Structure formats: C-alpha cells, structure tokens
Amino acid sequence: MAVQVIVLNGGSSSGKSGIARCLQAILPEPWLTLGVDTMIEAMPVAMRSSEAGIEFAPDGGISVGPEFSRLDAAWIAGVAAMARAGARVIVDEVFLGGAASQERWMRALAGLDVAWVGVRCEAAVAAARETARGDRVAGMAVSQAEIVHQGVRYDLEVDTAKAEALECARVIARFVEERERGGRALPGDR
C-alpha cells in the first residue's frame, strides 16, 4: 500500500515546514502540505485572540477554546477526506496535547497508510530560529520542544538541530519508499 499521509509533529520553529517543502521537491508524486498554521490563517482574525478561539500568551503559551476545538476537529476530518479522495498529504502539526492530539488524528486517518514522523529540535536551537523569524511569540519554541512529543508514537524521528531540512526529508522519503516497496516492518508500523 502507498503511504497516503505523512504527519510531521514538532514544536514551533522545529523545522517542519522546511522539511515539508523539501519532501514536496524530492518525492516522485505530488504531495499537498497542510498544517495547523494553514488552519489558523483561515480562521477569522477575531478568533486568533479570543477565549473561544486560540490565544497566544506573552510567554509563548497557547490556549484553545471550544470554537477552535470544533474547527480543529472539522479540519482534521477534512484533511483525512482529502487523503481518502486520493490526495497525498503532508501534515505539518504541533501536538500540544501530546498523545491525545495524535489519537484524534489516528481516529480520523484510520484505514489510511500513515507515516508518523517526530521532528525534534533542541529547545535552544528552536528558540534562536524563533527569534530570527520574528513572526512568533517568544517562548513558543521552548515551551513546545518536548511537550508535543510526550506519549506520541512515531515510525521515524529526525532531528533538525543535527541535520538540515533536506537531509531530514531524504531520510523520510527513503522510509516512505521502503514502506511502499513492502520493506521490513519498522517501529510504529500498524
């Protein structure tokens, strides 16, 4: 079976978006990249700073309200529907709830061949990237660096503090190609 979805999970400024762009360039078939940032940008501006939507605290903490949760559930179901309709999708995600966040995605993606990829990055390196970017709330990278991985099961992990995005993408692409060829069972295969 062909891998239909690649889920990249990592904290803010960990390098997921760069890896996703590289994957799109090197994988032989076209892949869409969709992520939590895409969803947030699609939301009404008023929901980006409200108790019902999503709030970014001055220290980098994030809290989500009931309307955000409702839209997030619809977003996840929509991404899964796209994959079921034949689109290959790279999901650029931040599992703020760790294992509980992965479980929501697992339920939505049930029956699809999914590659679960942890994108790790040392907190100090991610924080430096966050500062250089200038478009993030200071502290998000440090607060998310480890919490997003708590209890999450991966097929593969990459570390962007030790390897460039393209190298990480090549590792992921090799994994996907091996799995599609029916290669050996790897950790996390379901």
Side-chain angles (χ1 to χ4, degrees), residues 64-146:
V64 298
E67 277 301 304
F68 180 90
S69 295
R70 184 181 69 76
L71 291 174
D72 187 48
W75 170 261
I76 291 170
V79 171
M82 291 173 69
R84 284 192 177 84
R88 292 178 117 180
V89 181
I90 300 165
V91 177
D92 177 342
E93 245 312 343
V94 179
F95 289 170
L96 291 176
S101 296
Q102 183 182 34
E103 186 57 38
R104 284 193 302 275
W105 276 100
M106 289 175 89
R107 281 192 303 272
L109 298 172
L112 296 170
D113 193 358
V114 180
W116 298 93
V117 181
V119 179
R120 299 218 178 238
C121 183
E122 182 182 326
V125 173
R129 291 177 186 167
E130 176 181 76
T131 300
R133 287 175 70 164
D135 66 348
R136 301 292 163 132
V137 176
M140 280 180 30
V142 170
S143 70
Q144 295 175 7
E146 291 302 320

